[in-house]
Amino acid sequence: MQENAEIFFRGIRTWEKDGEEERNLHILNTWGPLLLGPLKWPVPTYYLEGKPEYNHISSTLIRNMCREASQQKCEPDLSLVVPKSVAKMIEEAYSRE
């Protein structure tokens, strides 16, 4: 999906937990378009590190909660892991997978 983004913002738990994977993605996002795609200057990426008390929360955890609730044909209870204001949007996004 092309959005013509000028900046990437990526949320990470900490560099210790997510740094290696994020560095690999950054390399792909930087060099991939230059080497494989239409020649395009890389989009800068900025990383937002989460608060330490939320380090146990990952997109995989939330995705699994949504998937399990879907299999049980009920609404996932995301109230402990995401703000109420975005819970429904996250549930809908993961239900499309």
Side-chain angles (χ1 to χ4, degrees):
M1 173 169 50
Q2 186 173 354
E3 297 291 334
N4 295 319
E6 295 181 13
I7 299 173
F8 284 141
F9 287 98
R10 302 227 358 127
I12 61 172
R13 292 172 287 180
T14 64
W15 275 110
E16 290 76 29
K17 287 187 181 232
D18 298 326
E20 184 176 343
E21 186 175 320
E22 289 300 328
R23 275 188 282 280
N24 291 336
L25 283 172
H26 182 69
I27 290 167
L28 288 173
N29 289 335
T30 301
W31 291 101
L34 293 173
L35 298 174
L36 304 172
L39 186 58
K40 196 171 185 181
W41 196 252
V43 176
T45 302
Y46 294 93
Y47 299 94
L48 306 173
E49 195 168 305
K51 291 183 177 181
E53 60 263 30
Y54 301 119
N55 281 351
H56 65 285
I57 300 171
S58 68
S59 58
T60 302
L61 171 70
I62 295 170
R63 190 171 31 253
N64 289 344
M65 290 172 71
C66 291
R67 193 173 291 140
E68 186 176 311
S70 176
Q71 290 170 350
Q72 295 176 4
K73 302 204 185 317
C74 63
E75 299 265 325
D77 181 10
L78 300 177
S79 63
L80 296 175
V81 292
V82 300
K84 275 185 175 181
S85 59
V86 297
K88 193 67 177 168
M89 289 184 286
I90 291 171
E91 178 188 344
E92 289 170 2
Y94 284 134
S95 70
R96 286 187 237 139
E97 291 184 349

